[in-house]
Amino acid sequence: QVQLVESGGGLVQAGGSLRLSCAASGFGFSNGAMGWYRQAPGNKRELVAGISSGGNTNYADSVKGRFTISRDNAKNSVSLQMNSLKPEDAAVYYCNTVPVRYGWGQGTQVTISS
């Protein structure tokens, strides 16, 4: 049974930082790319950062230079360090494979106060 459990969200002031974590289980985590996605109210879910099995990363233009994705294959986990947060970063953040192969976890809410 595949499980994706996100954590680390919260309320932070604009300009602040948060670190999100995702614990994955039930599939071959180390074999494929993982990503962080987000969905704000009224918007489609979007991929903001991806990391290949070998550690190559890519980012949406809107977060490039501010967000850093990393993975720990030994722990089946993927993290997202978010710095210099902006109000437009507010969303529910989810992890999943890239491309998406499994159902979504509950996500973790990121709220930005200006």
Side-chain angles (χ1 to χ4, degrees), residues 7 19-23 29 34-36 49 51 59 67-72 77-82 95:
S7 62
R19 185 175 181 86
L20 308 183
S21 296
C22 169
F29 177 87
M34 292 295 298
W36 280 96
I51 185 166
Y59 300 92
F67 289 12
T68 303
I69 188 171
S70 60
R71 67 189 296 163
D72 185 337
S77 67
V78 59
S79 298
L80 187 68
Q81 177 66 42
M82 307 188 295
C95 67

Side-chain angles (χ1 to χ4, degrees), residues 8-20 66-67 81-91 93 109-114:
L11 172 64
V12 64
Q13 285 190 327
S17 298
L18 281 174
R19 185 175 181 86
L20 308 183
R66 301 187 297 119
F67 289 12
Q81 177 66 42
M82 307 188 295
N83 298 329
S84 303
L85 283 161
K86 303 177 180 180
E88 53 264 40
D89 294 320
Y93 283 72
Q109 177 74 53
V110 172
T111 304
I112 314 294
S113 64
S114 54

Side-chain angles (χ1 to χ4, degrees), residues 25-48:
S25 61
F27 65 100
F29 177 87
S30 62
N31 296 333
M34 292 295 298
W36 280 96
Y37 301 77
R38 69 184 180 189
Q39 187 169 23
N43 291 357
K44 292 182 179 179
R45 199 167 315 199
E46 62 173 343
L47 176 65
V48 296

